[in-house]
Amino acid sequence: MVKVSTLLTTYNAEDFLKPTLQSVEDQTFSDMEILVWDDFSQDNTRHMLREYKENSSYDVALHFPDENKGPYVGLNKLLEEASGDYIAIQDHDDIWHPQKIEQQVRMLDNHSRFIGCGTGRYVYYEALGKVTEFKRKNVSYYAYHTSSVFRNAPGIQYDETVDGSKDMFFQRYVLGKNQRKFLNMEDILALSRVHDEQTNLSERWRKHENFFNVFWKHGFKEAVYSVHSKPLPTSIRNFLTALILRRRQTKDITELREPWSNYIS
């Protein structure tokens, strides 16, 4: 048994998988296993994962289904196999600060009443070359999904039938039992990319969700962040992106310093 099980889902990620894996490998916390579900990638992703398994300092388990089943089928399979006391979620194109897991394990060890711990994150808008900071409330129903570390428990599963954000439903109702059970750190210890084609698995649900449905279910902040949701035309998406960047601390991607600059070129 290990202290932390990191769950990673991938799909056609050859263009951005290498720095993601390196940011996991560079963690200062060592008592960890890596469980990977590749959702029937058709590019070089599986070859890259095999190479990672051969060279990683961690125990890495790879799952290669013979058809595309979706990331939440994969996450549920990995949850069933995870042996760690804590679960960390990673996406195929997100980046972790090297001290992320160490700091969150310490936080959860010292705050037993919380089910999970999140961190602040950068969001990198690739088309604009800009990054902006996002932070959740200190005590909340939610954490940013790929910033989250939570306590493992028998039978916990994502509900694949939920419309909209399965991540948020899982955190609030499955883990938190509709109580504010996530402790969010202010430190920015994760970075998420926003691609034009919206290939970030943790945010892909937004692409298929009507903007106004997101507003109704999750509020204005989540709807504004859903700049790639339908049926918004490009001009409106650009306006909403600009609104996000104006209201938050924003910098050019080239201004990011180490360790982030080690992973983003």
Side-chain angles (χ1 to χ4, degrees):
M1 180 176 290
V2 295
K3 186 71 170 182
V4 176
S5 297
T6 291
L7 313 187
L8 169 64
T9 54
T10 63
Y11 178 69
N12 289 349
E14 64 178 7
D15 291 338
F16 18 75
L17 182 58
K18 185 176 180 180
T20 295
L21 295 175
Q22 190 61 53
S23 76
V24 174
E25 193 69 19
D26 290 346
Q27 291 300 300
T28 57
F29 188 84
S30 60
D31 189 12
M32 186 164 64
E33 65 178 0
I34 316 297
L35 308 179
V36 183
W37 174 277
D38 178 71
D39 204 28
F40 201 50
S41 290
Q42 300 301 298
D43 61 2
N44 201 39
T45 297
R46 292 191 173 186
H47 174 73
M48 296 172 68
L49 290 170
R50 291 188 184 98
E51 285 190 338
Y52 176 66
K53 177 180 173 65
E54 291 178 2
N55 299 305
S56 177
S57 60
Y58 297 109
D59 182 16
V60 179
L62 303 178
H63 297 266
F64 292 163
D66 57 5
E67 62 180 339
N68 186 285
K69 297 185 177 182
Y72 294 98
V73 172
L75 283 172
N76 283 337
K77 176 66 174 177
L78 298 181
L79 281 171
E80 291 173 0
E81 297 191 5
S83 65
D85 297 327
Y86 298 142
I87 303 292
I89 302 295
Q90 179 62 308
D91 203 355
H92 66 197
D93 55 356
D94 286 6
I95 303 297
W96 284 351
H97 188 285
Q99 296 178 5
K100 175 183 180 294
I101 299 299
E102 180 182 358
Q103 291 193 32
Q104 289 178 284
V105 166
R106 185 184 305 119
M107 187 70 72
L108 287 172
D109 282 348
N110 293 332
H111 295 84
S112 59
R113 76 181 185 91
F114 291 99
I115 193 70
C117 175
T119 77
R121 70 171 178 174
Y122 285 122
V123 174
Y124 173 27
Y125 296 91
E126 289 187 334
L128 301 175
K130 302 288 186 180
V131 292
T132 189
E133 298 179 5
F134 283 79
K135 297 179 181 180
R136 294 274 191 201
K137 292 181 179 179
N138 181 243
V139 177
S140 177
Y141 295 112
Y142 313 110
Y144 295 118
H145 191 226
T146 56
S147 85
S148 66
V149 174
F150 53 87
R151 301 182 194 279
N152 198 359
I156 54 174
Q157 294 275 277
Y158 290 83
D159 188 341
E160 299 166 40
T161 68
V162 170
D163 291 331
S165 178
K166 297 172 177 59
D167 309 337
M168 297 171 76
F169 185 92
F170 175 74
Q171 291 177 351
R172 178 167 181 169
Y173 297 105
V174 177
L175 296 178
K177 310 302 181 186
N178 203 24
Q179 299 179 55
R180 291 178 174 86
K181 287 291 188 176
F182 271 85
L183 181 62
N184 288 305
M185 304 166 59
E186 287 200 7
D187 295 343
I188 297 178
L189 301 179
L191 180 148
S192 297
R193 302 173 188 257
V194 174
H195 312 290
D196 286 341
E197 67 273 21
Q198 197 70 19
T199 51
N200 181 295
L201 293 182
S202 293
E203 309 295 345
R204 186 179 291 176
W205 67 275
R206 302 175 190 272
K207 181 178 180 181
H208 304 288
E209 185 79 359
N210 186 290
F211 174 86
F212 302 103
N213 288 344
V214 178
F215 173 81
W216 179 257
K217 295 173 184 176
H218 303 296
F220 180 72
K221 285 176 62 178
E222 293 297 331
V224 168
Y225 184 62
S226 300
V227 293
H228 294 278
S229 61
K230 60 182 183 181
L232 299 182
T234 300
S235 59
I236 300 300
R237 292 201 305 268
N238 291 341
F239 169 78
L240 292 173
T241 301
L243 179 64
I244 294 171
L245 298 180
R246 286 187 62 184
R247 292 173 59 88
R248 294 181 178 273
Q249 185 174 343
T250 302
K251 64 182 71 177
D252 191 88
I253 189 63
T254 59
E255 297 180 55
L256 285 187
R257 299 181 178 179
E258 293 185 354
W260 305 109
S261 59
N262 296 334
Y263 307 110
I264 301 292
S265 58

